[in-house]
Every structure is written in structure tokens, then in C-alpha cells.
Amino acid sequence: EVRAEAAKAEVTLLEGSGGLMTPLSATETFLDFMVALGYPVILVIGNVLGAINHALLSLDALKRAGLTVAGVVFTHPDAGYTEDHPVSLDNRELITRRSRTDILGVVPHIQELSRRDGGEKAWGKVAVCLEKAATRLAAPCREPEPASEAVSAFDREHLWHPYCPAPGMSE
């Protein structure tokens, strides 16, 4: 159903809440759903206490699951913890360096978004902050090219994969 709806749109954004391990059912998490879809992921990180741990664990889980991480977006939900605060800057630098992931945007604390009538001006500020993320997502995604027969033949003739029995050895 999600794929059918996504096919109708130029761009589809699926937002998860609560994190990758948030249960969707008794047996499945949001990460399971993401893997089933296989879409590129932008991880949004609240740049607050615990950001490094949350970001690095989440990015590791996404990569281990085989998902493409398009990049990260940092948010600043606390008015006192600004985007140019030294700890905030250190968090961003460490997370991107350790994870080798691009920063696609930094959304500062925007007080107007805390009110019910956030207004067009406030959302305009968010849009400017997310321009790089939107550009990255709008770029056509390339499917990995399947291995050619020549590569497969070379592999069969010249490589031994350690999970296979060695030639001449019984299984």
C-alpha cells in the first residue's frame, strides 16, 4: 500500500516517531518496516544530551540493516541549546566524523513552531534549513548494477568463499 501511494507522488516522505526500535506490532519494529521498503533514510537527530549515543547507534543499525543513509539532519528542540553552542557544534562534528555521514541540515529552535499557529513564516525557516536534504532526496536514486556474468565467472574460477566447503573436502 505504501509503495502504491509513493508511486503516485514525485517525492514521498515517511516519518517515523520514537526511533528505529519502536514496535509497530508484537513482532515488528519501525526498522523492519524501513528494511521492507528499502528507501533511502535521513536520520533526524535532536542535538541535545544523548545525541551522540542516539545518532551513532541508530546510524549503525541502519547501515547493518543494509539501508542507504542519505544523511543526517540536526534539530535544536531546546531554546537554550542553540546551533552555535560549543557542545552542539562538537556533537555534529563528532557524529559526522565517526559515522562518515553528511549533514543535510540544521534546524534551529524556532519558537513559533511550539505554538498551535506556527505560521507560514516559521515553516519557511524550516524549509530553508532543509534545502540540502530536499535536494539530496530529489536526486534520482540509482539501483546498484547487477554483477555481470564475467564477474560471476571470475568469482567461481578464482575465489574461495570461506563459508563454502573447500574443494575435495566432504560436507
Side-chain angles (χ1 to χ4, degrees), residues 18-56:
L20 300 175
M21 295 303 151
T22 300
L24 296 178
S25 70
T27 58
E28 294 180 307
T29 65
F30 196 76
L31 180 59
D32 296 322
F33 178 62
M34 295 167 73
V35 168
L37 291 173
Y39 293 153
V41 177
I42 291 178
L43 182 65
V44 178
I45 302 163
N47 201 343
V48 294
L49 183 64
I52 295 170
N53 184 60
H54 167 254
L56 295 178

Side-chain angles (χ1 to χ4, degrees), residues 85-101:
H85 188 282
V87 173
S88 176
L89 293 170
D90 285 348
N91 284 353
R92 289 199 318 255
E93 190 278 326
L94 188 136
I95 290 165
T96 55
R97 180 173 41 83
R98 295 276 312 264
S99 68
R100 295 185 179 103
T101 305

